[in-house]
């Protein structure tokens, strides 16, 4: 992983044009991206765009549930490599003046990912993962979040079971997520794994390798990293023990609640926006079908009198 | 799928010691012995890694594979097609894990028992012909192994149609046969569990050192058998 990224980083241009087989990227895909996304008009300013944010607590703050050693490697080596390699990959490609969210979405490239997708999504996922935990975490979620969980999963215990099972059964490397689903059926970018008319709902999903629910237009609320590097030093092969410890001792329900607020606000905003668009559309259609009538004095009468 | 795995395992003469007969003729599998001690591959691969990898990881694939086969057996008896289809992913993953690790153990040997000794005979010639040299094969395979996203394997295989050697990678526990008519000669596990306790995030170092314990003699035997 790291080496792959390091190797590609040595020659970002070649890598962009000839992406590795595993990514199924295409040269035309990249050009499409460039045309769509380059917003600068002047000469390109080359900057190291994304920064490795320090974790929101000291590296030993999650002990004994997540060791300092695990944290030092996971944040200091793995996360750092994703960010550094992303910066090298996107330099001068037109992606380097976008937000990380947008880079994730654009490089996913409708299921035909560009080379930078893995590093971009992993940089995003890890930021989000650190903030999903806190020292003295775990327990039960507060008020409204708990009510929504009970509404959508039956009970808190049933939610915990579903989340744990998603995390345990993700084959190979990946992530398990709690998301707020406020999307349309057609998300335009990918196949929606939970297509249903029912919106504004909490859902548990899992994703392979770097894949992030933003591509399905879901709003992530909570995640657990189930790459082996996330738990191997502390739990070795015992992934289920790591998942239980995460749920019981580490989850920051405050963070999840705060994200839920943003998710709901965003969904509401979007609803208003869509209603406005729909109305505009209808008005436009009405105008198209009923063009204003223009009478020229005398002409109509003359033709009839003929 | 299950049947195919059984057949390919028999053809390759793999895990024959791990085959057990159980109720109503349903075959289940048990963990094959390692052909060397856990610590015998040190310093290239630590004894702790080998023990966890064999006793825990490989055992878990076998346990879950047997479970899935039993469920498959019941689903087929009942004629429950949707249950049969639903079991395919667990069979591919866990059965693949068993197939792949059974090959992997044979692909390694302690240095004092010939591990790392370059291939002689037909395989040696074929490598020179298809890759230029053993060094360039090693370099290419290491680079492709390092580039695998997430968990997976890098393989040296024999294409049964073109009779050429090929380097391929597979994701997760997909066995090499999922890519076509390819015979695995050498598979290297690039899951993090294969190296993390010793090499941490530095997969390329693991891929540099593993060549010191590769059992080319075994790969050569498989090659000769396939070309015969
Ligand atoms: Fe991670
Ligand atoms: Fe393995």
């Amino acid at each position: 992983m790291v080496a792959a990224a390091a190797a590609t980083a040595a020659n970002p241009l070649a890598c962009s044009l000839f992406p590795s087989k595993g990514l199924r990227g295409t040269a035309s895909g990249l050009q499409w991206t460039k045309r769509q996304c380059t917003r600068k008009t002047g000469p390109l300013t080359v900057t190291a765009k994304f920064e490795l944010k320090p974790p929101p607590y000291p590296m030993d703050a999650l002990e004994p549930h997540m060791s300092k050693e695990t944290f030092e490697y996971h944040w200091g080596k793995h996360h750092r490599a994703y960010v550094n390699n992303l910066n090298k990959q996107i330099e001068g490609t037109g992606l380097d003046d976008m937000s990380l969210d947008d880079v994730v979405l654009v490089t996913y490239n409708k299921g035909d990912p560009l080379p930078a997708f893995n590093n971009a999504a992993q940089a995003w996922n890890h930021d989000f993962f650190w903030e999903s935990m806190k020292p003295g975490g775990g327990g039960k979620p507060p008020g409204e979040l708990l009510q929504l969980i009970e509404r959508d999963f039956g009970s808190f215990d049933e939610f915990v079971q579903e989340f744990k099972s998603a995390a345990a059964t993700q084959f190979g490397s990946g992530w398990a997520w709690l998301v707020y689903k406020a999307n349309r059926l057609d998300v335009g970018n990918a196949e929606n794994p939970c297509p249903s008319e029912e919106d504004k709902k909490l859902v548990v999903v899992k994703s392979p390798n770097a894949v992030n629910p933003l591509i399905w237009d879901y709003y992530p609320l909570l995640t657990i990293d189930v790459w082996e590097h996330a738990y191997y030093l502390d739990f070795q092969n015992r992934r289920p023990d790591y998942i239980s410890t995460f749920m019981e001792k580490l989850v920051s329900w405050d963070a999840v609640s705060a994200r839920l607020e943003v998710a709901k606000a965003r969904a509401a905003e979007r609803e208003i926006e869509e209603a406005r668009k729909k109305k505009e559309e209808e008005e436009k259609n009405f105008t198209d079908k009923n063009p204003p009538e223009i009478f020229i004095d005398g002409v109509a009468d003359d033709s009839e009198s003929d | 799928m299950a049947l195919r795995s059984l057949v390919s395992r028999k053809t390759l003469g793999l895990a024959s010691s791990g085959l057990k007969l159980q109720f109503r003729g349903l075959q289940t599998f048990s963990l094959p012995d390692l052909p060397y001690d856990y610590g015998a591959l040190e310093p290239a691969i630590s004894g702790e890694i080998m023990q966890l990898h064999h006793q825990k990881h490989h055992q878990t694939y076998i346990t879950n594979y047997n479970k899935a086969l039993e469920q498959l057996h019941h689903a087929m008896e009942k004629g429950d097609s949707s249950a049969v289809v639903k079991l395919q992913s667990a069979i591919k993953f866990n059965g693949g894990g068993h197939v792949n690790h059974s090959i992997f153990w044979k692909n390694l040997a302690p240095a004092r028992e010939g591990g790392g000794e370059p291939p002689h005979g037909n395989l040696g010639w074929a490598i020179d012909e298809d890759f230029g040299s053993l060094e360039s094969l090693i370099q290419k395979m290491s680079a492709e192994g390092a580039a695998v996203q997430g968990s997976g394997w890098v393989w040296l295989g024999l294409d049964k149609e073109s009779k050429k050697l090929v380097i391929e990678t597979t994701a997760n526990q997909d066995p090499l046969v999922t890519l076509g008519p390819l015979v695995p000669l050498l598979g290297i596990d690039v899951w993090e569990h294969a190296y993390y306790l010793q090499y941490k995030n530095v997969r390329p170092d693991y891929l540099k050192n593993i060549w010191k314990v590769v059992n080319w003699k075994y790969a050569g035997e498989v090659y000769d058998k396939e070309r015969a």
Side-chain angles (χ1 to χ4, degrees):
Chain A
M1 176 70 243
V2 170
T8 56
N11 191 346
L13 182 67
C15 168
S16 303
L17 295 175
F18 306 102
S20 75
K21 179 185 55 180
L23 290 165
R24 293 180 297 120
T26 57
S28 59
L30 182 81
Q31 282 156 7
W32 172 86
T33 305
K34 273 187 157 174
R35 278 200 303 273
Q36 295 292 310
C37 305
T38 305
R39 292 179 198 142
K40 283 175 183 159
T41 45
L44 282 179
T45 41
V46 179
T47 47
K49 172 76 204 283
F50 297 107
E51 275 172 33
L52 178 68
K53 265 195 273 176
Y57 33 75
M59 300 223 219
D60 60 358
L62 303 182
E63 292 211 335
H65 312 298
M66 184 176 284
S67 70
K68 185 177 174 216
E69 195 192 8
T70 290
F71 216 103
E72 282 172 345
Y73 278 104
H74 201 172
W75 177 79
K77 302 285 185 186
H78 293 274
H79 191 176
R80 185 185 306 277
Y82 294 128
V83 174
N84 287 347
N85 292 323
L86 172 65
N87 282 330
K88 288 176 197 155
Q89 276 176 314
I90 64 175
E91 212 175 275
T93 61
L95 295 168
D96 49 3
D97 61 349
M98 302 172 82
S99 73
L100 187 54
D101 289 42
D102 286 346
V103 174
V104 169
L105 285 173
V106 168
T107 58
Y108 186 68
N109 193 28
K110 299 176 188 285
D112 188 10
L114 304 176
F117 175 74
N118 277 293
N119 287 315
Q122 284 293 74
W124 196 103
N125 295 348
H126 283 89
D127 275 338
F128 194 81
F129 177 55
W130 309 133
E131 285 166 14
S132 293
M133 299 183 288
K134 66 169 190 183
K140 268 197 160 188
E144 202 203 338
L145 175 59
L146 183 61
Q147 281 169 12
L148 275 189
I149 286 176
E150 287 169 347
R151 185 195 73 184
D152 294 337
F153 296 95
S155 68
F156 180 65
D157 287 345
E158 280 170 273
F159 155 71
V160 170
Q161 279 320 308
E162 194 176 329
F163 189 83
K164 280 183 176 176
S165 151
T169 59
Q170 170 55 44
F171 292 140
S173 304
W175 301 79
W177 308 82
L178 172 68
V179 302
Y180 186 69
K181 178 176 169 294
N183 62 287
R184 297 146 303 232
L185 282 177
D186 176 13
V187 298
N189 195 29
E191 199 175 317
N192 187 345
C194 305
S196 113
E197 298 287 357
E198 266 183 80
D199 274 351
K200 298 181 193 156
K201 196 175 170 219
L202 301 179
V203 184
V204 167
V205 286
K206 53 186 171 180
S207 65
N209 295 340
V211 172
N212 169 305
L214 289 177
I215 61 155
W216 302 312
D217 199 25
Y218 294 173
Y219 195 94
L221 302 177
L222 170 67
T223 197
I224 181 171
D225 186 344
V226 293
W227 285 58
E228 285 175 322
H229 65 232
Y231 59 87
Y232 214 81
L233 297 179
D234 294 340
F235 295 93
Q236 292 85 48
N237 60 303
R238 291 173 285 116
R239 191 195 283 191
D241 291 352
Y242 157 68
I243 297 166
S244 296
T245 303
F246 175 87
M247 291 307 280
E248 285 154 28
K249 309 286 185 194
L250 295 174
V251 172
S252 170
W253 288 117
D254 303 339
V256 180
S257 286
R259 289 162 176 167
L260 177 64
E261 287 311 307
V262 180
K264 279 166 40 191
R266 202 186 70 145
E269 240 170 61
R270 238 159 62 160
E271 212 164 59
I272 294 169
E273 175 69 8
E274 271 164 28
R276 189 184 60 77
K277 270 196 200 141
K278 205 174 153 200
K279 202 172 155 218
E280 265 180 22
E281 195 83 349
E282 278 167 7
E283 276 166 7
K284 189 172 168 286
N285 283 343
F286 182 81
T287 324
D288 289 348
K289 280 183 200 146
N290 305 283
E293 291 172 68
I294 299 167
F295 296 102
I296 299 169
D297 274 350
V299 176
D301 291 345
D302 287 349
S303 63
E304 260 182 27
S305 68
D306 277 343
Chain B
M1 185 70 213
L3 197 64
R4 242 172 84 196
S5 303
L6 294 180
V7 171
S8 69
R9 184 174 300 100
K10 273 184 180 160
T11 334
L12 296 173
L14 290 167
S16 50
S17 64
L19 201 62
K20 255 190 343 197
L21 286 177
Q22 263 199 358
F23 57 92
R24 283 196 304 259
L26 178 64
Q27 288 174 330
T28 61
F29 297 88
S30 56
L31 188 64
D33 288 337
L34 265 198
Y36 36 80
D37 291 339
Y38 289 128
L41 304 181
E42 289 188 349
I45 304 175
S46 76
E48 192 187 8
I49 288 179
M50 288 305 293
Q51 185 165 2
L52 281 163
H53 203 169
H54 180 251
Q55 281 183 352
K56 303 292 183 184
H57 290 277
H58 191 173
Q59 180 62 61
T60 304
Y61 293 120
I62 290 173
T63 305
N64 292 333
Y65 183 41
N66 285 336
K67 232 185 267 174
L69 287 181
E70 202 187 318
Q71 287 167 343
L72 180 71
H73 182 74
H74 292 308
M76 283 168 73
E77 266 185 351
K78 280 195 285 179
D80 184 347
S81 300
S82 70
V84 169
V85 171
K86 216 179 145 203
L87 280 164
Q88 299 309 305
S89 62
I91 289 170
K92 186 181 182 189
F93 182 71
N94 294 297
H98 176 45
V99 170
N100 294 342
H101 286 90
S102 298
I103 299 170
F104 186 55
W105 310 136
K106 295 183 185 200
N107 282 146
L108 303 175
R112 61 172 182 279
E113 289 166 30
E117 225 170 77
H120 302 295
N122 298 330
L123 179 59
W125 291 114
I127 288 173
D128 286 346
E129 193 168 315
D130 293 340
F131 297 100
S133 67
L134 180 64
E135 288 65 42
S136 78
L137 163 71
I138 287 176
Q139 202 189 10
K140 191 151 183 271
M141 237 178 119
S142 302
E144 294 214 10
V148 170
Q149 301 289 343
S151 306
W153 292 76
V154 59
W155 303 93
L156 173 66
L158 172 65
D159 185 323
K160 290 172 100 164
E161 280 164 8
S162 71
K163 308 288 179 196
K164 293 254 184 227
L165 297 175
V166 290
I167 295 173
E168 293 287 352
T169 60
T170 56
N172 296 330
Q173 292 300 355
D174 294 358
L176 187 59
V177 290
T178 56
L179 299 183
L182 302 173
V183 180
L185 306 178
L186 167 63
I188 299 177
D189 189 342
V190 295
W191 281 59
E192 287 171 324
H193 67 232
Y195 58 86
Y196 208 80
L197 292 180
Q198 192 175 351
Y199 296 96
K200 310 293 191 310
N201 57 306
V202 195
R203 190 192 287 180
D205 283 358
Y206 159 70
L207 286 170
K208 201 168 93 195
N209 287 342
I210 198 167
W211 299 103
K212 294 170 189 160
V213 289
V214 164
N215 186 349
W216 284 110
K217 196 164 156 265
Y218 170 77
E221 284 164 12
V222 179
Y223 180 80
D224 286 341
K225 215 172 108 203
E226 287 298 327
R227 290 300 310 260

